[in-house]
Amino acid sequence: MSLKETTALVTGGGRGIGRAAAAALAEAGAAVVVNYLSDGAAAQRTVEGIRDFGGRAWAVQADVADPAQVEVLFAETRRLLGGRLDILVNNAGGPGVRRPVAELSLEDWRRCLEVNLDGVFLCTRAALPLLPDGRGRVVNVTSISARSGGGPGGAAYSAAKAGVSNFTRACAKELGPRRITVNGVAPGVIDTDLHRRGTPAEELAAVTAQVPLGRIGSAGEAAAAVVFLCGEEARYITGEILEVNGGLRMD
Ligand code: NAP
């Protein structure tokens, strides 16, 4: 797959699936802006990993949930990438505070929706003037929980990700006339900090036991789906959510 002479922005690209997607896009030839929230050292490692194999990458800090910071992120992206953004990967996100609805504060609910859903809206809107007609790609990282309702304490997260999936379809319709594709990747259980730091070992073992392929996925396996949707070969796919879950959910 060649993405030579293309440019990309990966939100939340410092760690996990975002890091793997940034690296895979760069390996395919894209120059990549790697956005992160708070872990600048991790983002710098992502960038250096890409530069090590001769790729082009830069780290830019911004909270995708904050409209003013998204404006700065896109001004910086435009400057670094020479005014053209071929590929936007809306990856930044995570479950935030996990609590039963009865114990969930409005503040925690809102923060989860702001990061996972507002962030996708704000970055997509900011990308629209930069995406080239006939070639632009948007890939939103949603989740299996958009359909399953999520794990324990995942009401806000699954609601936000369901929003991301349908926002993806709406944008695919809206941008179809410009021949810009908008798709989603819905990971099941992927081995990243999201689970390493946030999911109790017994809960993870119980879910893993239900995966027909018998294991959880790697960040690289989720990233491969992102890269596929960004490629020329995927030009007739839009409004689709590609499930990367080892068969955990098939309907
Ligand atoms: P991760 O390892 O925890 O990485 C999350 C990344 O998002 C980090 O780079 C983090 O930045 C960034 N981020 C978080 N909030 C942000 C914000 N407000 N603004 C900018 N960046 C922000 O998680 P992951 O597993 O790779 O998750 C990536 C995406 O996949 C998320 O959307 C997640 O919901 C989705 N997903 C993951 C799984 C899974 O099993 N892992 C399953 C379904 C969906 P810092 O490094 O600076 O903190």
Side-chain angles (χ1 to χ4, degrees):
M1 159 109 44
S2 177
L3 294 174
K4 276 204 180 81
E5 286 167 34
T6 65
T7 55
L9 165 63
V10 180
T11 67
R15 298 184 283 119
I17 294 169
R19 166 182 282 176
L25 289 168
E27 265 180 60
V32 186
V33 170
V34 174
N35 155 255
Y36 67 97
L37 176 63
S38 54
D39 195 340
Q44 205 46 45
R45 279 197 296 281
T46 304
V47 163
E48 276 157 21
I50 290 171
R51 289 180 182 164
D52 280 349
F53 61 73
R56 295 168 68 215
W58 304 266
V60 180
Q61 192 280 332
D63 181 348
V64 297
D66 180 328
Q69 293 188 39
V70 169
E71 241 179 74
V72 175
L73 168 64
F74 275 79
E76 193 56 6
T77 297
R78 196 184 296 122
R79 187 184 70 77
L80 290 165
L81 298 179
R84 174 174 166 154
L85 181 67
D86 300 294
I87 295 165
L88 169 65
V89 181
N90 282 310
N91 164 79
V97 175
R98 294 189 216 216
R99 292 243 164 81
V101 172
E103 296 162 26
L104 188 65
S105 70
L106 180 58
E107 195 186 4
D108 288 338
W109 164 270
R110 282 194 176 142
R111 177 65 186 160
C112 186
L113 266 78
E114 278 169 8
V115 172
N116 289 286
L117 187 53
D118 293 15
V120 173
F121 159 66
L122 290 169
C123 290
T124 303
R125 189 178 63 174
L128 291 180
L130 303 181
L131 291 165
D133 291 2
R135 178 65 189 88
R137 296 277 192 271
V138 179
V139 180
N140 298 325
V141 181
T142 175
S143 169
I144 190 172
S145 66
R147 293 184 304 140
S148 70
Y157 180 64
S158 61
K161 290 298 193 181
V164 171
S165 294
N166 240 17
F167 180 72
T168 301
R169 298 180 184 105
C171 288
K173 289 185 183 173
E174 207 171 302
L175 298 185
R178 288 180 58 189
R179 285 170 297 117
I180 293 169
T181 70
V182 186
N183 290 290
V185 168
V189 183
I190 302 293
D191 184 20
T192 67
D193 290 342
L194 186 150
H195 289 295
R196 284 184 213 142
R197 296 176 186 172
T199 308
E202 326 77 69
E203 192 186 316
L204 199 55
V207 181
T208 307
Q210 293 169 38
V211 179
L213 287 180
R215 62 174 177 84
I216 64 174
S218 70
E221 287 164 338
V226 173
V227 176
F228 167 68
L229 290 168
C230 293
E232 182 56 20
E233 294 82 349
R235 62 186 172 272
Y236 198 59
I237 301 173
T238 196
E240 196 55 51
I241 308 292
L242 186 43
E243 309 283 335
V244 184
N245 62 29
L248 183 56
R249 194 178 170 111
M250 300 179 186
D251 60 333

